[in-house]
């Protein structure tokens, strides 16, 4: 069964450093998303990406965040200068297009980011 | 603004007992409704979804959920819980759209503990 793959599973970084979280969406999917879950809190939408551009972003997704689809398979989330409050589980998701049976998003297993 | 309320933070049931996890939503249009499960250290796995049609939907692992528009609820049920069902369960609501705007709003989750 196709799945969304995220690497690494856990990343520890120092405050102020740049991090790139990587995702390989399901191959024929066209819509890509990042969500995050701070420990003990709800899963929150960060950004959606379609046709090589951001289609929607939340208030959380400020200038420190960026997304990119550098090639035909990867989808990345970059945090330019990490803060302690960026520590969270980050989930990538992808979605196909077309009939209703394709309108659910599939989530990866997450990358746990710890900023120290 | 859309919102999801899961009133039970933590539920404990005995193996073999029935289970109902509550979810209430607030949404201005026809919603897509989802239940996801997150096992420790794992990603978000879709249990079931409601888009339209029959208000009782069947999902994986023996789960079902009933959409009640008049009560703005989408409660998750299982007639007989197994120890492997111990996990955190998230209810989510999203826009009725097959396009790029797949901005899910999640509830805070209900942690299920299963006693032997």
């Amino acid at each position: 069964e196709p799945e969304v793959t995220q690497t690494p599973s856990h990343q520890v970084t120092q405050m102020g450093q740049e991090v790139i979280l990587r995702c390989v969406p399901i191959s024929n999917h066209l819509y890509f998303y990042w969500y995050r879950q701070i420990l003990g809190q709800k899963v929150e939408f960060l950004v959606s990406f379609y046709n090589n551009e951001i289609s929607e972003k939340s208030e959380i997704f400020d200038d420190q965040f960026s997304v990119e689809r550098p090639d035909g398979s990867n989808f990345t989330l970059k945090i330019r200068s990490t803060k302690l409050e960026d520590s969270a589980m980050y989930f990538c998701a992808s979605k196909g297009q077309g009939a209703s049976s394709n309108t659910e998003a599939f989530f990866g297993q997450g990358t746990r980011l710890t900023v120290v | 603004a859309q919102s999801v309320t899961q009133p039970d933070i933590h539920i404990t049931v005995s193996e073999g007992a029935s289970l109902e996890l509550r979810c209430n939503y607030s949404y201005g249009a026809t919603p897509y409704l989802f239940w996801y499960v997150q096992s420790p250290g794992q990603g978000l796995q879709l249990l079931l979804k409601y888009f339209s049609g029959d208000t009782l939907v069947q999902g994986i692992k023996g789960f079902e959920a009933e959409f009640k528009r008049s009560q703005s609820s989408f409660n998750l049920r299982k007639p007989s819980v197994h120890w492997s069902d111990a996990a955190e369960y998230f209810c989510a609501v999203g826009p009725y759209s097959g396009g790029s705007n797949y901005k899910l709003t999640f509830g805070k989750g209900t942690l299920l503990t299963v006693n032997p």
Side-chain angles (χ1 to χ4, degrees):
Chain A
E1 185 175 322
E3 59 180 16
V4 176
T5 305
Q6 291 185 243
T7 55
S9 56
H10 189 190
Q11 180 153 359
V12 181
T13 189
Q14 290 202 327
M15 191 169 54
Q17 294 296 303
E18 174 184 287
V19 294
I20 298 176
L21 309 183
R22 302 183 190 278
C23 170
V24 179
I26 294 172
S27 63
N28 61 345
H29 281 185
L30 301 176
Y31 303 98
F32 313 106
Y33 311 88
W34 284 100
Y35 286 77
R36 80 171 185 190
Q37 182 186 27
I38 295 173
L39 187 63
Q41 299 188 24
K42 63 174 70 177
V43 177
E44 301 172 290
F45 170 81
L46 290 179
V47 66
S48 59
F49 189 87
Y50 170 70
N51 200 25
N52 285 319
E53 61 182 22
I54 291 173
S55 46
E56 185 171 0
K57 59 183 180 180
S58 71
E59 296 173 349
I60 304 166
F61 195 89
D62 61 22
D63 292 344
Q64 292 298 311
F65 291 87
S66 63
V67 289
E68 192 178 29
R69 190 154 160 81
D71 52 43
S73 60
N74 291 286
F75 178 53
T76 61
L77 174 70
K78 182 193 292 185
I79 308 175
R80 197 163 293 120
S81 177
T82 51
K83 303 187 284 286
L84 294 176
E85 54 264 37
D86 294 327
S87 295
M89 179 76 89
Y90 288 81
F91 292 105
C92 172
S94 71
K95 185 171 79 73
Q97 183 179 17
S100 61
S101 61
N102 289 333
T103 53
E104 67 184 77
F106 293 84
F107 284 80
Q109 80 281 14
T111 293
R112 179 162 295 287
L113 176 65
T114 302
V115 182
V116 297
Chain B
Q2 58 201 54
S3 66
V4 176
T5 302
Q6 293 180 249
D8 303 305
I9 297 172
H10 188 189
I11 284 182
T12 300
V13 299
S14 297
E15 192 169 16
S18 64
L19 172 70
E20 182 170 31
L21 302 182
R22 295 182 291 166
C23 172
N24 292 95
Y25 68 90
S26 172
Y27 195 73
T30 304
Y32 278 167
L33 294 159
F34 307 84
W35 275 99
Y36 284 88
V37 60
Q38 184 182 28
S39 298
Q42 302 295 310
L44 295 168
Q45 182 182 24
L46 181 68
L47 283 176
L48 48 77
K49 59 186 184 288
Y50 172 77
F51 290 152
S52 64
D54 193 348
T55 56
L56 183 64
V57 293
Q58 303 296 321
I60 62 171
K61 305 184 180 185
F63 285 92
E64 66 177 27
E66 186 171 11
F67 170 58
K68 292 185 177 180
R69 185 185 299 274
S70 61
Q71 299 177 17
S72 297
S73 70
F74 189 57
N75 294 346
L76 182 72
R77 300 193 294 249
K78 186 170 185 178
S80 178
V81 170
H82 188 262
W83 64 266
S84 61
D85 293 325
E88 188 148 26
Y89 292 79
F90 294 93
C91 181
V93 63
Y96 192 78
S97 165
S100 61
N101 184 20
Y102 192 88
K103 179 182 173 182
L104 292 186
T105 298
F106 284 81
K108 289 188 175 181
T110 298
L111 181 64
L112 175 66
T113 298
V114 180
N115 288 334

